[in-house]
Amino acid sequence: MSDEKKEIISNVMSRRKLLTTMGIAGVGVALSSFGVTANTAHATPSYPTTIGTEMLSDFGIVNPVSLFGAVGDGVADDTAAIQQALDTGKAVYLPRGAYRVTDTLVFKKSGSRLIGEGTYSLLALPMIPFGTVIISEVPSGKPTLKVPDGLQHVDISKLTIKRLITSVAGNTGLYFEGNSNLCSVRDVEISGHYVGLWLGSTGYSSVENLFSHDNYDHGVYMVNSSINGSLQWQFNNVLAQLNNSWGICVQSAVNSVGFVSMGNMFKLNTFGNKSGGICFLGRADTPINGIRMDNCFFGEDGGDEIYLDTYGGGSHKIQSTYTEAAGTGLTGVGQMTPASGVGHGLKVTANVYSVNVCDCFFINHSYNGVDCSAAQSVITGCDLRINGRAGVSGTQIGISIAGGQSLITSNKSMGQQFGVFLNNDGYHMVSQNRLSQNTIAPIAAAVSIPNSVITPNITAG
């Protein structure tokens, strides 16, 4: 590196260090409508628009503010400037600010990146947030950001995508059309859209540290393409909250492959979504295979917290997951929908072949903790308490087996009418469970069960 280049970089880094040390003073603002309070804000952008331009360019990073005239004050239309930057196919850096866009921003090339300076919920125009916010005024029926079919290695990170005007079908915050691989969504917040995050087919891509809330349909929606059944998005630390449909919805479409395959789902969280927490909706011609959920939380949604209707497929596993209070709280955008009074902790339909549930909690739901009709089910090491709060007959049960065969062992099911209730004689084994403090019976069956084995369980105390 030349001495001249070293001096430029040294000056840039010194000035950045100085700015960081100085900070930016401002006026405290609180917006109760967003439920977020910021300690400081300032009326006009004060970040430098030229410092570091040469150095960033050396690393293949494009700054729309310095190179294409973006303003980031929440008032000017920055659509054209950001789109010009995305068209380069390089990494696009959006400094802190509020960027108003009036048409869909489209990624054009594989390897493109859009990087902000962090999420920031507060937005009181013309105040500038301490983070990067894209303010969507995109017309009805169009997404705010779109990754077209077939693009690979697209990365979107460290920004908020917020819509403040009416949303209808098609107004997705971030839309991956599908058939993409090795893409990532990291440290992103989406709100006010119809669907927050729409994910199409992928062989391997990831979503990490996502907050999708106050959207008018689903918080996250996943669907395969007509030619690709892979929905192998890897999830880690996702919160879908106060959306008007499901927090997270996975649905299969007709395709030539014949099935949908899933990626790992770790640390999923839902709260206060109007329809329910998470659902998997397969088809007879396109079942959903291999659901794997671990270390998740689903609470106070307006319907079933976990709903499986996968149409056969391979075995599903849910472990180390906590569910509570389905149907007991306010839900939907702005928490404006009254409590529904319905919902199980886990609902598994007869269209599911096999499910394995272990080390999970099902607490305080309107209906049963677990209501299962799978052909084969294993429920072990779970804690089920005080379910059936709605008081509806037949839904005040810890574990209700409505069909198929089951192995139920080492669970604690207490404080309902029934700890375990069997609705068929499908060769069940109920063994070594603690089934005390249930008001009618620790275990009961609607039919004769000569083919089932009920070995000693703790029923007192």
Side-chain angles (χ1 to χ4, degrees):
M1 183 182 297
S2 68
D3 291 340
E4 181 180 0
K5 182 75 69 174
K6 290 180 179 177
E7 183 178 357
I8 291 173
I9 294 176
S10 177
N11 290 337
V12 168
M13 299 308 293
S14 296
R15 295 172 72 178
R16 282 185 171 176
K17 183 176 181 181
L18 175 61
L19 289 172
T20 302
T21 303
M22 291 173 62
I24 303 176
V27 181
V29 178
L31 285 185
S32 59
S33 60
F34 292 116
V36 178
T37 302
N39 292 325
T40 56
H42 50 89
T44 57
S46 64
Y47 51 79
T49 59
T50 57
I51 290 179
T53 298
E54 184 173 352
M55 184 179 73
L56 292 175
S57 180
D58 287 345
F59 288 94
I61 300 175
V62 177
N63 184 346
V65 174
S66 60
L67 297 179
F68 297 106
V71 178
D73 63 355
V75 178
D77 187 344
D78 289 321
T79 311
I82 299 174
Q83 187 61 63
Q84 282 182 288
L86 290 174
D87 289 348
T88 67
K90 297 181 179 180
V92 176
Y93 163 65
L94 279 179
R96 65 177 59 175
Y99 298 85
R100 177 171 164 261
V101 299
T102 57
D103 202 357
T104 301
L105 297 173
V106 182
F107 291 79
K108 300 291 183 65
K109 300 178 181 180
S110 293
S112 298
R113 303 176 68 191
L114 180 61
I115 309 162
E117 285 196 20
T119 60
Y120 200 81
S121 295
L122 177 65
L123 184 60
L125 301 181
M127 296 296 184
I128 304 303
F130 286 88
T132 300
V133 179
I134 294 176
I135 307 166
S136 177
E137 296 181 12
V138 174
S140 294
K142 300 179 69 175
T144 300
L145 272 71
K146 179 179 178 180
V147 180
D149 181 84
L151 290 193
Q152 318 295 320
H153 296 273
V154 174
D155 174 48
I156 299 164
S157 60
K158 298 184 178 180
L159 52 84
T160 290
I161 308 167
K162 184 181 293 290
R163 187 173 174 88
L164 300 177
I165 60 177
T166 302
S167 295
V168 298
N171 286 138
T172 300
L174 174 52
Y175 175 42
F176 280 80
E177 194 170 19
N179 298 309
S180 56
N181 292 295
L182 297 170
C183 297
S184 65
V185 178
R186 297 176 292 115
D187 304 312
V188 170
E189 177 189 355
I190 307 173
S191 67
H193 292 77
Y194 193 71
V195 171
L197 174 63
W198 179 303
L199 301 172
S201 55
T202 184
Y204 183 93
S205 293
S206 63
V207 176
E208 185 172 7
N209 299 336
L210 170 76
F211 181 25
S212 185
H213 64 98
D214 291 280
N215 298 293
Y216 292 87
D217 197 54
H218 307 302
V220 178
Y221 179 71
M222 300 172 62
V223 63
N224 61 292
S225 74
S226 60
I227 60 172
N228 190 344
S230 297
L231 276 177
Q232 294 172 14
W233 287 89
Q234 314 296 315
F235 284 84
N236 182 24
N237 196 28
V238 170
L239 172 59
Q241 174 177 297
L242 300 180
N243 299 289
N244 270 1
S245 190
W246 290 89
I248 302 169
C249 179
V250 182
Q251 189 164 21
S252 62
V254 176
N255 70 87
S256 58
V257 178
F259 66 89
V260 167
S261 59
M262 300 296 301
N264 292 317
M265 295 179 146
F266 184 64
K267 291 186 179 179
L268 301 182
N269 304 273
T270 69
F271 170 78
N273 299 287
K274 189 173 180 179
S275 295
I278 185 169
C279 67
F280 296 85
L281 308 176
R283 300 171 52 99
D285 55 7
T286 317
I288 297 174
N289 288 351
I291 297 168
R292 305 178 298 282
M293 290 195 296
D294 187 6
N295 200 17
C296 301
F297 171 84
F298 306 99
E300 289 191 48
D301 295 296
D304 298 325
E305 294 299 345
I306 306 172
Y307 181 80
L308 304 184
D309 188 38
T310 58
Y311 279 84
S315 182
H316 309 307
K317 186 169 186 178
I318 303 168
Q319 66 181 14
S320 301
T321 288
Y322 195 105
T323 72
E324 69 175 9
T328 66
L330 300 173
T331 63
V333 173
Q335 262 184 312
M336 299 297 292
T337 303
S340 66
V342 302
H344 305 86
L346 169 63
K347 173 71 174 178
V348 184
T349 75
N351 295 321
V352 175
Y353 173 67
S354 175
V355 62
N356 187 322
V357 184
C358 63
D359 191 27
C360 293
F361 287 76
F362 302 95
I363 309 294
N364 202 35
H365 296 296
S366 293
Y367 289 172
N368 302 329
V370 173
D371 191 281
C372 184
S373 300
Q376 297 181 10
S377 58
V378 177
I379 303 171
T380 61
C382 295
D383 195 329
L384 309 98
R385 303 192 194 192
I386 331 172
N387 294 294
R389 287 176 58 89
V392 177
S393 178
T395 65
Q396 300 176 68
I397 305 166
I399 300 173
S400 176
I401 301 297
Q405 304 176 0
S406 69
L407 171 62
I408 301 170
T409 182
S410 304
N411 302 287
K412 180 163 34 178
S413 185
M414 306 168 62
Q416 296 101 184
Q417 287 187 336
F418 301 95
V420 175
F421 196 93
L422 305 175
N423 289 279
N424 72 333
D425 187 25
Y427 295 92
H428 308 291
M429 176 175 283
V430 183
S431 171
Q432 300 179 9
N433 302 281
R434 185 178 184 89
L435 306 175
S436 58
Q437 301 178 25
N438 295 291
T439 59
I440 296 181
I443 182 168
V447 297
S448 175
I449 51 172
N451 294 316
S452 297
V453 177
I454 309 299
T455 60
N457 295 279
I458 298 172
T459 59

